[in-house]
Amino acid sequence: MKKLNVALVGLGFGGAFAPIYKVHPDVGEIILCDSNPQRLKATAEFAKIEKTTTSFDEILSDPAIDAVHLVTPIPLHGRQAVQVLKSGKHCACTVPMAVANGVSVMLASVMLSWLSVGNKEKTEEKGTRISQKIQRWLLVTVLLAFA
């Protein structure tokens, strides 16, 4: 299996994840991103990670990055998660991706589109059961958000 190149975005609380990714057997390159240059440098030195950037847009446009872990302030997660998914990368959030109903619906619709397009080759090989389960889970999540 190909190792995933992971960008860790937001190093205040998120800096604690850098050493974890460093020893994970399925992670290849780690890219650190933070808007605070001093925090970025300190985390990179502590975790001994060379590749860093202060630009979230650079993370989105880098074709070598497979996945993005968002550990940025909660109000940014919805918009940033949508941007990550639209860039064709996997996305993880340490805390909620959305805290408002409108953002939840927008995020769920983008994720459903991504599941339909991004996993087309995989679903042709293995069937659509997993994709359908995820779509049902997202629908239930969105419905619960409005309850």
Side-chain angles (χ1 to χ4, degrees):
M1 182 173 110
K2 176 190 176 276
K3 291 187 175 196
L4 293 176
N5 295 328
V6 177
L8 181 58
V9 181
L11 302 175
F13 169 71
F17 289 95
I20 297 168
Y21 280 121
K22 187 130 179 154
V23 297
H24 195 289
D26 295 327
V27 173
E29 187 174 35
I30 303 160
I31 301 89
L32 300 178
C33 178
D34 197 279
S35 60
N36 180 318
Q38 292 81 21
R39 182 169 42 219
L40 181 62
K41 182 180 178 191
T43 305
E45 287 174 359
F46 170 76
K48 297 178 177 60
I49 295 173
E50 293 181 23
K51 192 162 183 185
T52 65
T53 182
T54 58
S55 170
F56 183 62
D57 289 334
E58 188 177 316
I59 296 295
L60 297 175
S61 64
D62 187 339
I65 297 172
D66 302 302
V68 178
H69 184 173
L70 297 173
V71 198
T72 53
I74 294 171
L76 300 177
H77 284 189
R79 179 179 55 83
Q80 288 179 333
V82 168
Q83 289 175 295
V84 169
L85 293 171
K86 283 186 173 181
S87 76
K89 300 175 188 329
H90 300 284
C91 183
C93 288
T94 301
V95 292
M97 286 189 279
V99 292
N101 290 342
V103 176
S104 297
V105 172
M106 176 181 65
L107 186 57
S109 67
V110 169
M111 291 176 80
L112 288 173
S113 297
W114 175 80
L115 284 168
S116 299
V117 176
N119 286 338
K120 185 176 182 182
E121 293 149 13
K122 290 180 184 174
T123 57
E124 286 174 2
E125 293 173 13
K126 299 178 184 177
T128 59
R129 282 191 210 130
I130 294 172
S131 179
Q132 288 170 346
K133 284 180 185 177
I134 293 170
Q135 288 176 357
R136 280 191 223 115
W137 176 83
L138 285 170
L139 179 59
V140 169
T141 302
V142 172
L143 292 175
L144 288 174
F146 288 105

